[in-house]
Amino acid sequence: MYARRRRGYFLLMGGCIFLFVSAWAVVRLWSMPVAIGMCVVAMVIPPIAAMVANRRGPEDRWWDDPSGDPKSDEWWDELDGKKRR
């Protein structure tokens, strides 16, 4: 699961760098508006990459971990409809 998220993050950030560098190294020679448009698209990619990298999957059960406080864990289990073993 972590490898999939890490791969997605690096693909998105690699695409971002590619867009930015190619916009100002090559594309601006033919069309300045297209180069600016490519930079705007590249500007939007990093927040999306961060969301992809930090997304929790269904196999990530971090919210089920006990907190260490038996009273609190019992209360949360009651709210979730679970039986304590």
Side-chain angles (χ1 to χ4, degrees):
M1 78 187 130
Y2 297 115
R4 177 181 44 85
R5 293 192 321 221
R6 187 173 43 234
R7 185 175 34 250
Y9 175 80
F10 283 121
L11 283 173
L12 283 168
M13 290 306 290
C16 175
I17 291 171
F18 174 77
L19 281 171
F20 187 75
V21 170
S22 65
W24 294 111
V26 179
V27 177
R28 72 173 171 89
L29 301 174
W30 288 283
S31 175
M32 188 60 80
V34 172
I36 292 171
M38 288 172 69
C39 284
V40 168
V41 170
M43 177 183 69
V44 174
I45 292 175
I48 294 170
M51 286 185 261
V52 166
N54 292 313
R55 181 181 57 209
R56 299 283 185 195
E59 65 274 2
D60 295 336
R61 305 298 292 188
W62 57 273
W63 57 86
D64 285 343
D65 292 341
S67 67
D69 179 18
K71 185 105 171 138
S72 174
D73 292 338
E74 181 182 328
W75 184 75
W76 281 108
D77 287 342
E78 181 182 333
L79 284 177
D80 290 339
K82 295 181 187 176
K83 298 278 187 194
R84 289 292 283 184
R85 294 184 186 122

